[in-house]
């Protein structure tokens, strides 16, 4: 059952493979990506098994890679779910290596850009609630709050409310519909520099 899945399992067999496979990666590339990006070690056999299992469970991903690749090569660009354009002129290059790297970047951008769009909406909304965002990277925000417990608790509530309720509502106004529960919010409070 989903409740029994640990954070480590979710990272090892969920997040890491999914992020790698949407990027159109080989099993060797997946193994390297898992270690360099997340310090998750897979043997060559394990990486090949995960790669094969992923593509067996979702054979559509390969078809989507082909479709997206053709579109990116033809247009030399890709678009986010909200319509932001990422220009990829190398996708039209006569150099196969440059062309395929641009296509892989475009494939990744189409999917990953939604997280960036979500974060941008969240930053606007959190600012309206007088939360002081002092840093952001990928899908994480660092927010400075008063040290008193009440300030921390209130800020945690505001962040959770914005991310789980308000952001999906705002995205709907932009014709982006997130399945309920898709945005998972983990909040940690403590002095700067602590995980």
């Amino acid at each position: 059952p989903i409740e029994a899945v640990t954070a480590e399992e979710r990272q090892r067999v969920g997040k890491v493979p999914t992020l790698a496979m949407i990027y159109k990666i080989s099993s060797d590339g997946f193994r390297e990506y898992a270690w360099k990006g997340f310090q998750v070690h897979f043997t060559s056999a394990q990486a090949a098994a995960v790669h094969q299992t992923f593509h067996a469970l979702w054979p559509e991903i390969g078809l989507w890679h082909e479709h997206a690749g053709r579109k990116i090569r033809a247009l030399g660009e890709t678009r986010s779910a909200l319509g932001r354009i990422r220009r990829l002129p190398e996708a039209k290059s006569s150099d196969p290596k440059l062309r395929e790297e641009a296509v892989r970047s475009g494939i990744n951008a189409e999917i990953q850009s939604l997280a960036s769009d979500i974060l941008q909406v969240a930053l606007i909304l959190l600012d309206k609630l007088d939360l002081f965002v002092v840093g952001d990277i990928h899908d994480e925000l660092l927010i400075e709050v008063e040290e008193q417990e009440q300030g921390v608790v209130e800020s945690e509530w505001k962040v959770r409310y914005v991310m789980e309720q308000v952001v999906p509502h705002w995205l709907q106004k932009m014709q982006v519909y997130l399945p309920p529960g898709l945005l998972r919010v983990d909040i940690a409070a403590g002095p700067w520099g602590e995980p």
Side-chain angles (χ1 to χ4, degrees), residues 106-170:
I107 285 170
N108 186 53
E110 282 191 28
I111 296 169
Q112 297 269 348
S113 62
L114 182 57
S116 174
D117 293 338
I118 290 169
L119 188 65
Q120 298 305 312
V121 170
L123 287 169
I124 293 166
L125 296 170
L126 293 170
D127 182 64
K128 289 178 183 274
L129 293 175
D130 295 324
L131 288 170
F132 188 53
V133 178
V134 294
D136 72 275
I137 182 165
H138 300 295
D139 59 354
E140 295 184 17
L141 296 174
L142 179 61
I143 300 170
E144 186 176 271
V145 299
E146 291 185 29
E147 196 171 338
Q148 299 125 348
E149 186 175 338
Q150 180 183 355
V152 172
V153 170
E154 183 179 330
S155 297
E156 285 182 15
W157 179 86
K158 286 179 180 179
V159 169
R160 188 169 306 283
Y161 176 72
V162 164
M163 294 307 298
E164 293 177 350
Q165 305 295 321
V166 183
V167 167
H169 178 72
W170 269 55

Side-chain angles (χ1 to χ4, degrees), residues 24-156:
K24 192 180 175 185
I25 202 165
S26 67
S27 62
D28 287 337
F30 164 61
R31 182 175 180 240
E32 183 179 326
Y33 170 82
W35 179 249
K36 283 185 177 177
F38 300 92
Q39 290 72 50
V40 174
H41 175 70
F42 289 98
T43 65
S44 292
Q46 289 171 327
V50 170
H51 190 274
Q52 182 180 3
T53 301
F54 188 94
H55 287 280
L57 286 171
W58 297 286
E60 306 86 3
I61 194 80
L63 297 173
W64 182 77
H65 284 151
E66 290 175 26
H67 170 74
R70 280 193 304 274
K71 183 175 65 174
I72 292 165
R73 281 188 286 276
L75 299 174
E77 67 184 33
T78 190
R79 291 178 184 261
S80 76
L82 295 182
R84 283 187 299 120
I85 297 172
R86 177 169 179 194
R87 302 199 190 288
L88 298 158
E90 297 84 8
K92 293 182 170 193
S93 172
S94 59
D95 180 334
K97 188 174 180 179
L98 284 177
R99 186 174 58 243
E100 286 314 302
E101 185 56 36
V103 167
R104 284 172 38 121
S105 293
I107 285 170
N108 186 53
E110 282 191 28
I111 296 169
Q112 297 269 348
S113 62
L114 182 57
S116 174
D117 293 338
I118 290 169
L119 188 65
Q120 298 305 312
V121 170
L123 287 169
I124 293 166
L125 296 170
L126 293 170
D127 182 64
K128 289 178 183 274
L129 293 175
D130 295 324
L131 288 170
F132 188 53
V133 178
V134 294
D136 72 275
I137 182 165
H138 300 295
D139 59 354
E140 295 184 17
L141 296 174
L142 179 61
I143 300 170
E144 186 176 271
V145 299
E146 291 185 29
E147 196 171 338
Q148 299 125 348
E149 186 175 338
Q150 180 183 355
V152 172
V153 170
E154 183 179 330
S155 297
E156 285 182 15

